[in-house]
Amino acid sequence: MATKKAASKTKNTVEVISAENSMVKFDSKAARTALGINQSQFWQQVFVTQSGGSRYENDRSVPKPVQALLVIAYGTDAEAKAMFDHLRAPAKEVVEA
């Protein structure tokens, strides 16, 4: 019988790329592996098909809305709160040069 190896220490799965626009890179494969679940189980929580999730795990760009859902669903409480705060903040006025 195969056993799933528990992750003793998981690395941070969210990396802030740009503080100005709250861009993040979420390492979905690391998060999924740490949880010990398959792609179908992992991706259905954020309304993505298994095949779509597989493409995202293999270096295809992940749309910002999916990145936000990943942080909310699988990030730490602090990361999810930061994402909610960003989403609920008033929109900044865009000034054209």
Side-chain angles (χ1 to χ4, degrees), residues 15-96:
E15 173 188 349
V16 176
I17 296 173
S18 169
E20 296 84 39
N21 64 3
S22 299
M23 275 292 298
V24 297
K25 180 175 180 173
F26 187 88
D27 188 343
S28 56
K29 189 170 187 175
R32 181 178 62 77
T33 303
L35 292 169
I37 58 178
N38 65 37
Q39 287 179 335
S40 293
Q41 294 167 323
F42 182 85
W43 288 103
Q44 75 181 2
Q45 292 297 106
V46 292
F47 312 103
V48 174
T49 63
Q50 179 276 324
S51 61
S54 177
R55 288 190 298 271
Y56 295 151
E57 288 184 11
N58 290 296
D59 296 328
R60 190 160 198 191
S61 63
V62 180
K64 286 182 184 182
V66 175
Q67 290 177 16
L69 287 172
L70 286 168
V71 171
I72 292 167
Y74 296 112
T76 64
D77 289 343
E79 292 162 348
K81 182 184 180 321
M83 183 58 70
F84 276 121
D85 291 345
H86 169 72
L87 293 171
R88 292 179 176 170
K92 294 180 183 175
E93 190 174 316
V94 177
V95 179
E96 293 186 30

